[in-house]
Amino acid sequence: MRCAGTKRLEELCAHNQHSSFNGLKPRFNAKKESTFHSSAKRTQTQLQKPQSKSGDEDIKQWNVAISSYMRNGRCNEALRVFERMPRWSSVSYNAMISGYLRNGEFETARKMFDEMPERDLVSWNVMIKGYVRNRSLGKARELFERMSERDVCSWNTMLSGYAQNGCVDEARRVFDRMPERNEVSWNALLSAYVQNGRMEEACALFESRESWALVSWNCLLGGFVKKKKIVEARKFFDGMSVRDVVSWNTIITGYAQSGKIDEARKLFDESPVKDVFTWTAMVSGYVQNKMVEEARELFDKMPERNEVSWNAMLAGYVQGERMDMAKELFDVMPFRNVSTWNTMITGYAQCGDVSEAKSLFDKIPKRDPVSWAAMIAGYSQSGHGHEALRLFVQMEREGGRLNRSSFSSALSTCADVVALELGKQLHGRLVKGGYESGCFVGNALLLMYCKCGSIGDASDLFEEMTGRDIVSWNTMISGYSRHGFGEEALRLFESMKREGLNPDDATMVAVLSACSHTGLVDKGKEHFYTMTQEYGVTPNSQHYACMVDLLGRAGLLKEAHSLMKAMPFEPDGAIWGTLLGASRVHGNTELAEIAADKIFAMEPENSGMYVLLSNLYASLGRWGDVSKLRVRMRDKGVKKVTGYSWIEIQNKTHTFSVGDEFHAEKDEIYAFMEDLDLRMKKAGYVSKTSVVLHDVEEEEKERMVRYHSERLAVAYGIMRVPQGKPIRVIKNLRVCEDCHSAIKCMAKITGRVIILRDNNRFHHFKDGSCSCGDYW
């Protein structure tokens, strides 16, 4: 239906087609504003020219039509009306400028304002509000200071702008300068204090004035709840002479979020008025406190439900991993929004059912950044790294908006599958998108570089990060530790303490691990035995595992075993496995067998532990015991994990197994390795055949170790990675002693830097030595 103003406009347009204005070129165009500028002088004359009463009425009708078009987002039609007007008033300009601002056309609005021949107070206020909405507070303030006159609306616009953008002190300065204040002024400053957690100042402001509207009381009550000051909130609530449904909803939510669900329910029952939000607050409270049955009972009694109610109940089932009930509820929901779909996708992904998650993802009517991030994270966390990266690329191609969560999930996946080149490309995108500075994404970048073997890039990024948190420091300390730079890890630990950060559980695991990997036994003991007193960190199983590893690597097996006996809890399989590994290295069969028996009882299918004990027997020539272990593994259905190594070259991953026969370039690789083997022997390399777990001739043992997967991957890297760039190889198992010696020699005779990540740590090979100092 056309409004009266639009109908009248059509009559005026028909008249003007035969008037003296017929054929005039447009005086303003969003794309060609120069035409407007050229007619500005004439316009000023038009504004000053006396008009008849009927002419004024006509102008009003034109202005009404402009406003109508702008309210409906039809900016081009509004502009055409504006250009065909016989004259423009300041109201015409203001209608156009406010309309452009309402429709997100800030630059067009600014140009029209700048070209206005004459501005009134409304013009200035509208434009200042536009700058504030555009978060250009400096420009807004500049315009504000240029105003020859201001009203309370002008002051409130600046005050609210500062308040909404967290500039509380500047908002207060504006408030103090105001010649007059109204209810909006007081509420804006109060809200600024509350939203930024400055409750003492909020309370002081509140007490400085007697007459406050109910909305202000509710604002301060919400501030107490947000800060989890439930005692103060209740005292304030009890002191309210008037309460509305918002007041009751706020205090109920406060108790529910504080875990005091019984008190929340008591207030819910006492509430004289309840709306859908009251009921939803109580349902959400039960969900947050993992009381799903109680939530469902109340949900079923609700007189009406909205999207939030349904989503809260759905979230309860998902958080409790009751996906059958979640699916049942999802199927009967009368309306679903994108949050509903995202909750279900996240639930299935977290339960490991990525196929069902992907099925829902494909059916979702409209995806938002959370949808993509949830699905990418689901793939990543369930070990489907390549699918996660493929989905990330698909999101970009389909124009999906990237956010911090999707970037973080993609970076985490790059770290897991060691896709360094793609990780670097993502880093570039982050810088371009302005996401790099925050801790959330910054920490994901740090972890990616550390896990991909680029400790130098991680170090550079860490130094450039602003606002580093405890996770940033822990990631970097752990990174240095895993890469064999224990001294650097400990220096960073001391720097962290000087910065005033208190170490936590994860910090001390990283520090003890650094001591272990570097052989700093005394330093490790010192940190372990003082961390409770110094930092309030109580040793857990990870800390004890680090200490057993530290002592075991140093050959102090009896001390390590004694420490395990003195633990305040029973050692788990990981700790016994650490002792078994150390016993194998140092040839202590007695302790190895004790540890193995414990592990086989706890984890009967742990093939790695069978291999460790078998290694020890083989190194001692006890082939009969090796055979017995193999029979035992076969009888229990335990299968040895196959060793693989892989290398990424030009965004393509090349995977190798021992004696690989499937790589497309295998003939060239083996020919290259034969030549390389001769050069290595001339340089003094001698095979350590003791690592071969088969009772065969020495020559056969040499052939078997020569074609281990990590050596094939390194050889291929030497062939294909350009000179001057490091060769990065990943292995899913621990690198064997012979391959470690061989790769040191390969690095020396080729002059290459080789970075190998096994299932325990990184090895940086250069000039015939390794960062681990042969201590791994």
Side-chain angles (χ1 to χ4, degrees):
M1 182 181 292
R2 294 178 299 172
C3 67
T6 305
K7 183 177 181 181
R8 173 62 178 154
L9 167 68
E10 291 172 350
E11 295 171 358
L12 290 168
C13 289
H15 169 74
N16 279 337
Q17 287 176 355
H18 304 287
S19 72
S20 58
F21 291 99
N22 188 33
L24 282 178
K25 292 183 179 179
R27 291 184 291 266
F28 183 84
N29 188 294
K31 296 181 179 177
K32 298 181 180 179
E33 66 270 14
S34 60
T35 59
F36 166 75
H37 181 72
S38 65
S39 62
K41 186 174 180 181
R42 179 185 176 189
T43 306
Q44 191 169 8
T45 304
Q46 291 174 332
L47 283 168
Q48 293 170 350
K49 183 178 179 180
Q51 301 291 322
S52 67
K53 185 175 181 181
S54 61
D56 286 342
E57 289 298 322
D58 287 345
I59 293 299
K60 286 181 181 178
Q61 295 298 323
W62 291 83
N63 291 340
V64 167
I66 289 171
S67 298
S68 176
Y69 279 130
M70 284 296 191
R71 276 196 301 272
N72 289 284
R74 298 165 67 180
C75 298
N76 290 335
E77 287 92 331
L79 177 60
R80 280 194 287 272
V81 171
F82 180 80
E83 288 172 341
R84 299 179 71 175
M85 290 178 70
R87 72 181 183 89
W88 298 317
S89 69
S90 59
V91 176
S92 313
Y93 279 99
N94 294 340
M96 288 295 295
I97 293 169
S98 62
Y100 278 129
L101 291 172
R102 184 184 299 114
N103 288 284
E105 298 284 346
F106 175 79
E107 283 302 316
T108 308
R110 183 190 62 76
K111 288 174 183 175
M112 181 168 270
F113 176 82
D114 289 344
E115 297 290 353
M116 277 184 75
E118 195 173 298
R119 306 180 185 109
D120 60 13
L121 183 58
V122 174
S123 313
W124 289 89
N125 286 345
V126 166
M127 200 61 227
I128 289 172
K129 193 171 186 178
Y131 275 116
V132 166
R133 285 181 175 173
N134 204 45
R135 297 195 172 185
S136 299
L137 294 181
K139 292 287 185 182
R141 184 60 177 267
E142 184 182 315
L143 209 63
F144 177 79
E145 297 297 346
R146 283 169 50 196
M147 293 177 71
S148 57
E149 65 169 319
R150 308 181 186 105
D151 61 5
V152 70
C153 180
S154 318
W155 288 94
N156 283 343
T157 300
M158 281 309 306
L159 171 60
S160 298
Y162 283 125
Q164 291 164 9
N165 285 277
C167 306
V168 184
D169 294 331
E170 197 59 47
R172 181 63 198 237
R173 281 190 280 272
V174 170
F175 180 83
D176 290 339
R177 283 180 57 194
M178 292 179 71
E180 63 172 317
R181 306 178 186 116
N182 60 12
E183 204 66 37
V184 175
S185 319
W186 287 93
N187 285 336
L189 186 60
L190 181 69
S191 178
Y193 282 134
V194 169
Q195 292 301 319
N196 288 275
R198 295 166 64 163
M199 290 301 294
E200 289 184 11
E201 290 157 293
C203 290
L205 181 70
F206 194 84
E207 291 169 3
S208 70
R209 185 170 180 254
E210 290 186 4
S211 178
W212 287 92
L214 181 56
V215 66
S216 305
W217 285 83
N218 287 338
C219 175
L220 195 58
L221 178 63
F224 286 125
V225 168
K226 185 179 178 181
K227 295 289 286 184
K228 301 190 184 303
K229 294 186 174 183
I230 194 63
V231 175
E232 292 87 340
R234 181 57 184 267
K235 183 178 179 181
F236 188 77
F237 176 80
D238 289 341
M240 293 175 69
S241 57
V242 178
R243 305 177 189 129
D244 63 3
V245 68
V246 175
S247 318
W248 286 94
N249 292 351
T250 303
I251 194 68
I252 290 168
T253 299
Y255 274 111
Q257 291 177 346
S258 299
K260 298 180 178 180
I261 197 69
D262 291 337
E263 188 61 32
R265 182 57 190 260
K266 182 180 177 184
L267 284 165
F268 174 82
D269 292 336
E270 291 175 1
S271 178
V273 285
K274 298 183 182 75
D275 61 9
V276 66
F277 299 103
T278 319
W279 287 85
T280 302
M282 197 62 228
V283 170
S284 297
Y286 280 129
V287 167
Q288 290 163 8
N289 288 275
K290 302 187 188 313
M291 301 171 69
V292 182
E293 298 302 330
E294 291 82 352
R296 184 56 190 261
E297 182 182 351
L298 194 65
F299 177 82
D300 289 339
K301 293 177 181 177
M302 290 181 71
E304 63 170 319
R305 307 181 186 108
N306 60 13
E307 287 184 354
V308 180
S309 318
W310 284 93
N311 285 342
M313 193 63 245
L314 186 71
Y317 285 130
V318 168
Q319 290 166 13
E321 297 186 355
R322 296 173 62 179
M323 292 308 299
D324 53 341
M325 295 297 294
K327 181 66 164 59
E328 184 179 305
L329 190 69
F330 178 80
D331 288 340
V332 299
M333 288 177 72
F335 32 65
R336 303 169 184 154
N337 57 20
V338 69
S339 177
T340 314
W341 289 86
N342 292 344
T343 299
M344 289 295 290
I345 291 167
T346 301
Y348 279 120
Q350 289 178 346
C351 290
D353 193 349
V354 289
S355 60
E356 190 63 36
K358 185 60 165 60
S359 175
L360 281 175
F361 179 81
D362 291 337
K363 294 174 185 175
I364 188 170
K366 186 178 180 180
R367 302 178 186 124
D368 67 0
V370 177
S371 317
W372 289 98
M375 197 62 239
I376 292 169
Y379 274 135
S380 178
Q381 292 163 8
S382 60
H384 297 80
H386 293 290
E387 286 84 349
L389 294 179
R390 274 194 287 271
L391 194 63
F392 184 84
V393 172
Q394 180 187 339
M395 176 181 66
E396 291 191 287
R397 287 174 179 165
E398 293 184 11
R401 186 166 60 86
L402 303 175
N403 64 4
R404 285 178 170 81
S405 294
S406 54
F407 268 122
S408 182
S409 295
L411 287 168
S412 176
T413 304
C414 288
D416 291 338
V417 302
V418 200
L420 179 62
E421 292 307 314
L422 179 57
K424 286 184 174 181
Q425 292 171 24
L426 289 175
H427 189 174
R429 292 290 307 280
L430 284 165
V431 173
K432 187 176 179 180
Y435 290 115
E436 184 190 27
S437 58
C439 277
F440 182 64
V441 172
N443 290 339
L445 271 172
L446 268 184
L447 186 63
M448 184 275 293
Y449 279 124
C450 286
K451 281 193 169 185
C452 288
S454 192
I455 194 69
D457 286 323
S459 180
D460 291 342
L461 175 66
F462 179 79
E463 293 301 325
E464 294 168 5
M465 281 179 69
T466 56
R468 296 175 295 211
D469 61 8
I470 187 70
V471 177
S472 316
W473 289 89
N474 289 349
T475 302
M476 202 63 231
I477 293 170
S478 179
Y480 277 131
S481 170
R482 290 198 67 198
H483 282 264
F485 304 114
E487 295 285 358
E488 190 60 42
L490 296 178
R491 276 195 292 272
L492 195 63
F493 174 62
E494 295 301 326
S495 297
M496 171 185 155
K497 292 192 291 183
R498 286 193 295 271
E499 291 281 333
L501 274 79
N502 196 51
D504 62 9
D505 289 5
T507 315
M508 297 314 299
V509 169
V511 167
L512 293 175
S513 178
C515 294
S516 175
H517 286 312
T518 319
L520 300 173
V521 177
D522 291 338
K523 198 73 175 175
K525 286 183 178 181
E526 179 187 339
H527 284 304
F528 179 76
Y529 288 111
T530 62
M531 65 183 189
T532 302
Q533 183 179 351
E534 291 281 335
Y535 316 119
V537 176
T538 303
N540 60 29
S541 61
Q542 286 183 292
H543 300 115
Y544 276 101
C546 287
M547 281 304 295
V548 172
D549 187 49
L550 171 72
L551 297 170
R553 287 173 187 269
L556 303 173
L557 300 176
K558 289 185 178 179
E559 187 175 346
H561 194 203
S562 297
L563 178 66
M564 291 171 64
K565 291 177 180 177
M567 284 168 55
F569 42 80
E570 286 296 315
D572 58 18
I575 295 177
W576 281 112
T578 301
L579 183 65
L580 174 56
S583 300
R584 183 198 68 80
V585 171
H586 296 286
N588 190 321
T589 310
E590 181 183 354
L591 263 183
E593 289 176 336
I594 292 173
D597 286 341
K598 292 285 187 180
I599 296 166
F600 295 156
M602 295 178 183
E603 304 170 4
E605 296 182 0
N606 189 332
S607 64
M609 298 302 105
Y610 284 94
V611 172
L612 281 177
L613 187 58
S614 181
N615 286 350
L616 175 58
Y617 288 149
S619 66
L620 298 173
R622 293 171 55 176
W623 300 109
D625 290 322
V626 171
S627 297
K628 288 177 183 177
L629 267 182
R630 285 180 181 156
V631 170
R632 186 175 179 183
M633 289 177 69
R634 185 189 63 209
D635 292 345
K636 290 183 175 292
V638 178
K639 294 183 179 180
K640 180 182 175 183
V641 176
T642 303
Y644 289 100
S645 297
W646 60 96
I647 182 171
E648 181 193 11
I649 300 176
Q650 295 182 340
N651 284 335
K652 182 178 180 182
T653 301
H654 299 263
T655 304
F656 298 89
S657 60
V658 61
D660 197 286
E661 291 290 334
F662 299 102
H663 196 279
E665 301 173 69
K666 68 178 187 304
D667 294 336
E668 190 177 350
I669 295 170
Y670 284 121
F672 178 77
M673 286 195 70
E674 290 296 328
D675 178 65
L676 190 62
D677 192 54
L678 291 174
R679 293 168 61 191
M680 289 166 61
K681 286 180 177 178
K682 286 181 181 179
Y685 163 71
V686 177
S687 296
K688 295 187 177 181
T689 55
S690 59
V691 301
V692 177
L693 306 182
H694 299 276
D695 189 11
V696 295
E697 296 296 327
E698 198 69 19
E699 185 177 341
E700 177 62 14
K701 288 183 180 181
E702 284 189 22
R703 191 196 67 78
M704 293 172 72
V705 297
R706 186 185 306 160
Y707 300 124
H708 277 187
S709 64
E710 56 265 57
R711 285 169 73 166
L712 290 170
V714 168
Y716 188 66
I718 296 171
M719 291 169 56
R720 295 289 178 257
V721 176
Q723 189 74 33
K725 294 188 74 173
I727 296 163
R728 305 175 193 277
V729 172
I730 315 299
K731 185 175 182 181
N732 66 330
L733 302 176
R734 183 179 184 273
V735 60
C736 81
E737 190 176 353
D738 178 67
C739 286
H740 190 270
S741 297
I743 296 172
K744 284 196 299 182
C745 186
M746 292 162 81
K748 183 176 181 179
I749 65 175
T750 61
R752 304 298 297 268
V753 173
I754 301 168
I755 301 170
L756 171 67
R757 187 183 104 179
D758 65 13
N759 67 346
N760 188 44
R761 64 176 297 157
F762 282 89
H763 300 266
H764 291 247
F765 299 95
K766 183 180 179 181
D767 298 330
S769 62
C770 179
S771 61
C772 73
D774 298 334
Y775 195 90
W776 90 101

